[in-house]
Amino acid sequence: MGSSDMDNLKKPSRLSTGLRRGLGLPAITMAAALAPCLALAGDLNEITYDRTSDGTVQVHFNLSEPLAGEPGSFKIDNPARVAIDLPDVDNETGSRQTSIGLGAVNSVMLAEANGKTRAVFNLDQSVPYSINQAGNRLTVSFDRVEQATTTASGMAVTDRGSSEATAMDAGQPIDFRRASSGAGRLLLDVGSTAAPMDIRRQGSQIVVHLPGTRLEEGGYNVNDFATPVERVDVRREGNGSRVTLRTKDAGEHLAYQTGNRLVIEVQPIPEEEQRTALGKKEYTGERLTLKFQDIQVRPLLQLIADFTGNNIVVSDTVQGSISLRLENVPWDQALDLIMTTKGLSSRENGNVIYVAPTEEVAARDKAELAAREQAQQLAPLITDIVQVNYAKAGDIAALVRQSSGLGEGAGDKKSDGNFLSRRGSITVDSRTNNLIVTDTAEALDRVRGLIEQVDRPVKQVLIETRIVIATDNFSRELGVRWGVNAGFNRAGSTVGLGSQVPSVSGSSPLPTDGTGQTISNAGNIGGNPGSWMVNTPISGDPTGSLGLAILGSNVLLNLELQAMQSEGTGKIVSNPKVITTNGHKAVISQGFEIPYQSQTASGGGAISNIQFKEALLKTEVTPQITPNDMVIMDILVQKDEPDYTRAINGQPPINSREVQTKVQVQNGQTVVLGGIYEFENSSQLEKVPFFGDLPGLGNLFKNRINNDSRFELLIFVTPKIVDRDNLANQNRGVLINN
């Protein structure tokens, strides 16, 4: 109702009777006070309605005579209503409410006050209206409801109207509607009559997975439709799509398919639950105005009952009077204020409201609770055997005992719980994994409901680990050595220079002097026998060498060039796999133990002992599957191997490689846990001072060594959730290739 004087909101006969009883006034006084209300010039005989071809809804008021003045009107948007005042008109239709259900017009309510009749139109949404008067007929016209609009993103959205056609019928693949109950309905064209679907709630979101159905990506704001759904997001996911409905104050949700159309409906939270969740009351009743001075509480409650159409039963102990002035407040708030002021409480049973003093209501509630407890104590006990399929029966029994306030000790006292009653008991049969439950039939139903919810197969995860070790080595060495022997005879003296060098095939091992005599002591000149004048060879055995000897009559030159180059690449791949259930740790390892000798002191001596050290390839992982099929893993990957190239007394050291971390990975996605990259580049130069720095010739006095080595370690992990179909195939002995 709008903000108006509603204290006299009744027909004269009913109002005069109620006020006369409440205020104790004589009948003649009430008749004089209500004289203006009885002097009505016209009657409202009938209300008719129709809809024109363009969708306009017309409501006709058929009067006994034309209106004496212009009708007044006003409009409110929340809730959507239009009020029309008919001056000097009495309601003779025999009804206070008329259901219409055309277009935006839901119903019309009539009320009489202060010599006029007010018609209040309840609308589904605010639409323009107009008033026309022709003779004894007053017509109120409401524009048609827009059936569908399209958002900026291209989503077709439809509000509830008289037509069941939606924008999807015009070829749109996605549509949104508001139901009369306030629920939001998302309509999707899935292109198949049996499209697979998985719907689940994640907090305030409702996520729908559509494998095999490809929808166009986009985000749509549907907040203007005043439903629990505020936004719809569509994203591609593999070969299908994921639809996310962001909600606020959403209650139950459901999904059903008719033909190729998938409908997802989200109901609002009931008003009573909303008030409980928010911790405060919300009032949604029809608005009224009450102005009374020292009125009795009982007739005041009866007046509110007549206005709302509810049945109110007032206890005989409700007495007293109250003065109040309430302007344009919901009737349920007015009732709450009256009961709070007078110390009253109410209980609802259907459309009947029982009002009594708070102490009396509390006593009744206590008595009803005692009666229920007594009935529970007298109920017969039933023994039932419940089969537990996937979980351990002992774990389920512990959960039931804990929820019912029963500990493991025999002396624990049981309190009222959610499952077992005070007389109930539960026993575990570990041999058959059954539960033996003895309790009332109602409690047995609760226990079975719990078991159905928790006794479900646990998802399993296959964790595949790959450890890749790659090496790349390059080495190059260049060396040179040479020697020269020469002998000369000058003035009867023999002069020799050089070193003793290996002989050259087919020539004299030593040069001769000018007279043809062999210089026998030439090898001792300038060095020891068998030495070179310049000796810078490579460190190891040469891959190739080049020798050159020049022999003359007085000179022997011997030159040797040495070179070595080596290249090597290696790759080691280790691939351990392990499968485990969700939340349970799995360990897989392979390797061997290396013996080594140790000594311990004993009695002034030493005793040799043989001990062993493990060298393992090991994977240790604990997976956790999230509701959106992500996998969180606590993982340890270790690879140890002995290095016999650096053994000491036959006992090799152990090269250890290990990574321990916690990661979150999508199902089937490969992630690199970590890696180690080592790069070594070394150059070494040996040369003869001064001569090694000579341009060109300095190469005859040098030795060069270049070494390049690279080492790379990478660890990959791929988790795969094993679905139930694969589990069934494994149980039948079918080999599954992962």
Side-chain angles (χ1 to χ4, degrees), residues 179-199:
S180 59
S181 61
R185 290 178 180 172
L186 179 65
L187 294 85
L188 302 173
D189 186 0
V190 294
S192 173
T193 58
M197 175 200 63
D198 180 22
I199 181 171

Side-chain angles (χ1 to χ4, degrees), residues 673-690:
L673 290 185
I676 299 175
Y677 180 75
E678 296 179 1
F679 177 76
E680 182 181 355
N681 185 1
S682 62
S683 298
Q684 182 178 348
L685 176 64
E686 298 177 356
K687 63 181 178 179
V688 178
F690 178 73

Side-chain angles (χ1 to χ4, degrees), residues 470-510:
T471 58
D472 188 1
N473 300 313
F474 175 80
S475 176
R476 175 183 292 172
E477 295 187 37
L478 295 176
V480 61
R481 58 183 181 179
W482 57 273
V484 61
N485 286 319
F488 303 94
N489 189 355
R490 293 290 184 270
S493 299
T494 302
V495 179
L497 176 65
S499 60
Q500 181 68 35
V501 298
S503 61
V504 181
S505 176
S507 63
S508 176
L510 294 176

